[in-house]
Amino acid sequence: MEVFNKELKPTDIHHRFSVPSRSLQYIDFAGEFSVDLRVQDSSGELRLIRCRKRHGDYAKPELSKGWRKYVADYELRVGDRVVLLAEEDRRLGSQYRIEAMRTINLFGHEVWGGLPRAN
């Protein structure tokens, strides 16, 4: 199930990734303000990426710890797209998969293609 699908902005690349608020329903914070998500990237590496929400009435989530390493490993840039998918595993609980995409020109048409790990 798709948690979010977002085109990257400069802040997402250089600081922290601002997660669409509608994604909160797919992330179990268990009463806390942050949770470390177990995320498998497209190369099969298991990563821990922290998702935290702001204090107060506007609980906008963002990816922080672990996110910048992912950006560097995949050499992401503004305009690329990141998709986070949630998968339920009866033994392990919620699992997540992350995919990075970039537009490519294919036979004169721009299409989204997956990005391999650069580093």
Side-chain angles (χ1 to χ4, degrees), residues 51-62:
C51 184
R52 62 186 186 134
K53 40 185 188 173
R54 297 178 187 158
H55 296 277
D57 294 335
Y58 185 58
K60 178 109 174 118
E62 58 192 25

mmCIF file with all atom_site columns, all heavy atoms in Angstrom, residues 51-62:
data_model
loop_
_atom_site.group_PDB
_atom_site.id
_atom_site.type_symbol
_atom_site.label_atom_id
_atom_site.label_alt_id
_atom_site.label_comp_id
_atom_site.label_asym_id
_atom_site.label_entity_id
_atom_site.label_seq_id
_atom_site.pdbx_PDB_ins_code
_atom_site.Cartn_x
_atom_site.Cartn_y
_atom_site.Cartn_z
_atom_site.occupancy
_atom_site.B_iso_or_equiv
_atom_site.pdbx_formal_charge
_atom_site.auth_seq_id
_atom_site.auth_comp_id
_atom_site.auth_asym_id
_atom_site.auth_atom_id
_atom_site.pdbx_PDB_model_num
ATOM 1   N N   . CYS A 1 51 ? 10.938 8.923  11.475 1.00 0.00 ? 51 CYS A N   1
ATOM 2   C CA  . CYS A 1 51 ? 9.814  9.774  11.108 1.00 0.00 ? 51 CYS A CA  1
ATOM 3   C C   . CYS A 1 51 ? 9.351  10.431 12.394 1.00 0.00 ? 51 CYS A C   1
ATOM 4   O O   . CYS A 1 51 ? 9.095  9.755  13.393 1.00 0.00 ? 51 CYS A O   1
ATOM 5   C CB  . CYS A 1 51 ? 8.687  8.945  10.492 1.00 0.00 ? 51 CYS A CB  1
ATOM 6   S SG  . CYS A 1 51 ? 7.312  9.960  9.914  1.00 0.00 ? 51 CYS A SG  1
ATOM 7   N N   . ARG A 1 52 ? 9.288  11.738 12.384 1.00 0.00 ? 52 ARG A N   1
ATOM 8   C CA  . ARG A 1 52 ? 8.850  12.446 13.578 1.00 0.00 ? 52 ARG A CA  1
ATOM 9   C C   . ARG A 1 52 ? 7.771  13.436 13.191 1.00 0.00 ? 52 ARG A C   1
ATOM 10  O O   . ARG A 1 52 ? 7.672  13.849 12.038 1.00 0.00 ? 52 ARG A O   1
ATOM 11  C CB  . ARG A 1 52 ? 10.010 13.147 14.269 1.00 0.00 ? 52 ARG A CB  1
ATOM 12  C CG  . ARG A 1 52 ? 10.681 14.196 13.451 1.00 0.00 ? 52 ARG A CG  1
ATOM 13  C CD  . ARG A 1 52 ? 11.911 14.752 14.144 1.00 0.00 ? 52 ARG A CD  1
ATOM 14  N NE  . ARG A 1 52 ? 12.424 15.863 13.347 1.00 0.00 ? 52 ARG A NE  1
ATOM 15  C CZ  . ARG A 1 52 ? 12.781 17.013 13.841 1.00 0.00 ? 52 ARG A CZ  1
ATOM 16  N NH1 . ARG A 1 52 ? 12.714 17.218 15.145 1.00 0.00 ? 52 ARG A NH1 1
ATOM 17  N NH2 . ARG A 1 52 ? 13.227 17.963 13.066 1.00 0.00 ? 52 ARG A NH2 1
ATOM 18  N N   . LYS A 1 53 ? 6.960  13.779 14.164 1.00 0.00 ? 53 LYS A N   1
ATOM 19  C CA  . LYS A 1 53 ? 5.924  14.776 13.907 1.00 0.00 ? 53 LYS A CA  1
ATOM 20  C C   . LYS A 1 53 ? 6.157  15.966 14.819 1.00 0.00 ? 53 LYS A C   1
ATOM 21  O O   . LYS A 1 53 ? 6.714  15.837 15.905 1.00 0.00 ? 53 LYS A O   1
ATOM 22  C CB  . LYS A 1 53 ? 4.518  14.224 14.046 1.00 0.00 ? 53 LYS A CB  1
ATOM 23  C CG  . LYS A 1 53 ? 4.276  13.281 15.152 1.00 0.00 ? 53 LYS A CG  1
ATOM 24  C CD  . LYS A 1 53 ? 2.873  12.724 15.109 1.00 0.00 ? 53 LYS A CD  1
ATOM 25  C CE  . LYS A 1 53 ? 2.686  11.940 16.392 1.00 0.00 ? 53 LYS A CE  1
ATOM 26  N NZ  . LYS A 1 53 ? 1.372  11.479 16.603 1.00 0.00 ? 53 LYS A NZ  1
ATOM 27  N N   . ARG A 1 54 ? 5.747  17.095 14.327 1.00 0.00 ? 54 ARG A N   1
ATOM 28  C CA  . ARG A 1 54 ? 5.908  18.321 15.094 1.00 0.00 ? 54 ARG A CA  1
ATOM 29  C C   . ARG A 1 54 ? 5.011  18.304 16.315 1.00 0.00 ? 54 ARG A C   1
ATOM 30  O O   . ARG A 1 54 ? 3.939  17.718 16.306 1.00 0.00 ? 54 ARG A O   1
ATOM 31  C CB  . ARG A 1 54 ? 5.558  19.525 14.220 1.00 0.00 ? 54 ARG A CB  1
ATOM 32  C CG  . ARG A 1 54 ? 6.477  19.683 13.044 1.00 0.00 ? 54 ARG A CG  1
ATOM 33  C CD  . ARG A 1 54 ? 6.046  20.849 12.202 1.00 0.00 ? 54 ARG A CD  1
ATOM 34  N NE  . ARG A 1 54 ? 6.854  20.877 10.982 1.00 0.00 ? 54 ARG A NE  1
ATOM 35  C CZ  . ARG A 1 54 ? 6.483  21.486 9.879  1.00 0.00 ? 54 ARG A CZ  1
ATOM 36  N NH1 . ARG A 1 54 ? 5.325  22.119 9.827  1.00 0.00 ? 54 ARG A NH1 1
ATOM 37  N NH2 . ARG A 1 54 ? 7.250  21.469 8.823  1.00 0.00 ? 54 ARG A NH2 1
ATOM 38  N N   . HIS A 1 55 ? 5.453  18.968 17.368 1.00 0.00 ? 55 HIS A N   1
ATOM 39  C CA  . HIS A 1 55 ? 4.637  19.114 18.575 1.00 0.00 ? 55 HIS A CA  1
ATOM 40  C C   . HIS A 1 55 ? 3.543  20.147 18.316 1.00 0.00 ? 55 HIS A C   1
ATOM 41  O O   . HIS A 1 55 ? 3.681  20.999 17.458 1.00 0.00 ? 55 HIS A O   1
ATOM 42  C CB  . HIS A 1 55 ? 5.504  19.569 19.764 1.00 0.00 ? 55 HIS A CB  1
ATOM 43  C CG  . HIS A 1 55 ? 6.537  18.566 20.154 1.00 0.00 ? 55 HIS A CG  1
ATOM 44  N ND1 . HIS A 1 55 ? 6.268  17.502 20.963 1.00 0.00 ? 55 HIS A ND1 1
ATOM 45  C CD2 . HIS A 1 55 ? 7.850  18.466 19.821 1.00 0.00 ? 55 HIS A CD2 1
ATOM 46  C CE1 . HIS A 1 55 ? 7.360  16.786 21.134 1.00 0.00 ? 55 HIS A CE1 1
ATOM 47  N NE2 . HIS A 1 55 ? 8.348  17.354 20.448 1.00 0.00 ? 55 HIS A NE2 1
ATOM 48  N N   . GLY A 1 56 ? 2.472  20.049 19.030 1.00 0.00 ? 56 GLY A N   1
ATOM 49  C CA  . GLY A 1 56 ? 1.396  21.036 18.911 1.00 0.00 ? 56 GLY A CA  1
ATOM 50  C C   . GLY A 1 56 ? 0.244  20.530 18.069 1.00 0.00 ? 56 GLY A C   1
ATOM 51  O O   . GLY A 1 56 ? 0.111  19.342 17.794 1.00 0.00 ? 56 GLY A O   1
ATOM 52  N N   . ASP A 1 57 ? -0.581 21.470 17.643 1.00 0.00 ? 57 ASP A N   1
ATOM 53  C CA  . ASP A 1 57 ? -1.796 21.134 16.903 1.00 0.00 ? 57 ASP A CA  1
ATOM 54  C C   . ASP A 1 57 ? -1.520 20.660 15.478 1.00 0.00 ? 57 ASP A C   1
ATOM 55  O O   . ASP A 1 57 ? -2.294 19.896 14.915 1.00 0.00 ? 57 ASP A O   1
ATOM 56  C CB  . ASP A 1 57 ? -2.729 22.344 16.847 1.00 0.00 ? 57 ASP A CB  1
ATOM 57  C CG  . ASP A 1 57 ? -3.255 22.721 18.219 1.00 0.00 ? 57 ASP A CG  1
ATOM 58  O OD1 . ASP A 1 57 ? -3.309 21.833 19.090 1.00 0.00 ? 57 ASP A OD1 1
ATOM 59  O OD2 . ASP A 1 57 ? -3.594 23.905 18.413 1.00 0.00 ? 57 ASP A OD2 1
ATOM 60  N N   . TYR A 1 58 ? -0.443 21.125 14.879 1.00 0.00 ? 58 TYR A N   1
ATOM 61  C CA  . TYR A 1 58 ? -0.122 20.786 13.490 1.00 0.00 ? 58 TYR A CA  1
ATOM 62  C C   . TYR A 1 58 ? 0.961  19.717 13.487 1.00 0.00 ? 58 TYR A C   1
ATOM 63  O O   . TYR A 1 58 ? 2.143  20.008 13.477 1.00 0.00 ? 58 TYR A O   1
ATOM 64  C CB  . TYR A 1 58 ? 0.326  22.047 12.743 1.00 0.00 ? 58 TYR A CB  1
ATOM 65  C CG  . TYR A 1 58 ? 0.555  21.832 11.278 1.00 0.00 ? 58 TYR A CG  1
ATOM 66  C CD1 . TYR A 1 58 ? -0.460 21.354 10.456 1.00 0.00 ? 58 TYR A CD1 1
ATOM 67  C CD2 . TYR A 1 58 ? 1.779  22.115 10.701 1.00 0.00 ? 58 TYR A CD2 1
ATOM 68  C CE1 . TYR A 1 58 ? -0.253 21.162 9.100  1.00 0.00 ? 58 TYR A CE1 1
ATOM 69  C CE2 . TYR A 1 58 ? 1.998  21.932 9.355  1.00 0.00 ? 58 TYR A CE2 1
ATOM 70  C CZ  . TYR A 1 58 ? 0.973  21.450 8.560  1.00 0.00 ? 58 TYR A CZ  1
ATOM 71  O OH  . TYR A 1 58 ? 1.183  21.261 7.209  1.00 0.00 ? 58 TYR A OH  1
ATOM 72  N N   . ALA A 1 59 ? 0.552  18.473 13.508 1.00 0.00 ? 59 ALA A N   1
ATOM 73  C CA  . ALA A 1 59 ? 1.484  17.345 13.653 1.00 0.00 ? 59 ALA A CA  1
ATOM 74  C C   . ALA A 1 59 ? 2.054  16.900 12.311 1.00 0.00 ? 59 ALA A C   1
ATOM 75  O O   . ALA A 1 59 ? 2.007  15.724 11.957 1.00 0.00 ? 59 ALA A O   1
ATOM 76  C CB  . ALA A 1 59 ? 0.776  16.186 14.345 1.00 0.00 ? 59 ALA A CB  1
ATOM 77  N N   . LYS A 1 60 ? 2.576  17.826 11.533 1.00 0.00 ? 60 LYS A N   1
ATOM 78  C CA  . LYS A 1 60 ? 3.139  17.495 10.221 1.00 0.00 ? 60 LYS A CA  1
ATOM 79  C C   . LYS A 1 60 ? 4.342  16.576 10.387 1.00 0.00 ? 60 LYS A C   1
ATOM 80  O O   . LYS A 1 60 ? 5.277  16.881 11.119 1.00 0.00 ? 60 LYS A O   1
ATOM 81  C CB  . LYS A 1 60 ? 3.567  18.777 9.512  1.00 0.00 ? 60 LYS A CB  1
ATOM 82  C CG  . LYS A 1 60 ? 4.208  18.547 8.184  1.00 0.00 ? 60 LYS A CG  1
ATOM 83  C CD  . LYS A 1 60 ? 3.299  18.978 7.086  1.00 0.00 ? 60 LYS A CD  1
ATOM 84  C CE  . LYS A 1 60 ? 4.004  18.877 5.744  1.00 0.00 ? 60 LYS A CE  1
ATOM 85  N NZ  . LYS A 1 60 ? 3.356  17.950 4.888  1.00 0.00 ? 60 LYS A NZ  1
ATOM 86  N N   . PRO A 1 61 ? 4.339  15.407 9.724  1.00 0.00 ? 61 PRO A N   1
ATOM 87  C CA  . PRO A 1 61 ? 5.471  14.484 9.855  1.00 0.00 ? 61 PRO A CA  1
ATOM 88  C C   . PRO A 1 61 ? 6.623  14.834 8.922  1.00 0.00 ? 61 PRO A C   1
ATOM 89  O O   . PRO A 1 61 ? 6.432  15.499 7.897  1.00 0.00 ? 61 PRO A O   1
ATOM 90  C CB  . PRO A 1 61 ? 4.854  13.139 9.470  1.00 0.00 ? 61 PRO A CB  1
ATOM 91  C CG  . PRO A 1 61 ? 3.736  13.474 8.559  1.00 0.00 ? 61 PRO A CG  1
ATOM 92  C CD  . PRO A 1 61 ? 3.228  14.828 8.979  1.00 0.00 ? 61 PRO A CD  1
ATOM 93  N N   . GLU A 1 62 ? 7.814  14.374 9.281  1.00 0.00 ? 62 GLU A N   1
ATOM 94  C CA  . GLU A 1 62 ? 8.991  14.553 8.445  1.00 0.00 ? 62 GLU A CA  1
ATOM 95  C C   . GLU A 1 62 ? 9.960  13.414 8.695  1.00 0.00 ? 62 GLU A C   1
ATOM 96  O O   . GLU A 1 62 ? 9.984  12.822 9.771  1.00 0.00 ? 62 GLU A O   1
ATOM 97  C CB  . GLU A 1 62 ? 9.649  15.903 8.712  1.00 0.00 ? 62 GLU A CB  1
ATOM 98  C CG  . GLU A 1 62 ? 10.060 16.111 10.148 1.00 0.00 ? 62 GLU A CG  1
ATOM 99  C CD  . GLU A 1 62 ? 10.444 17.551 10.459 1.00 0.00 ? 62 GLU A CD  1
ATOM 100 O OE1 . GLU A 1 62 ? 9.973  18.475 9.768  1.00 0.00 ? 62 GLU A OE1 1
ATOM 101 O OE2 . GLU A 1 62 ? 11.200 17.731 11.408 1.00 0.00 ? 62 GLU A OE2 1
#
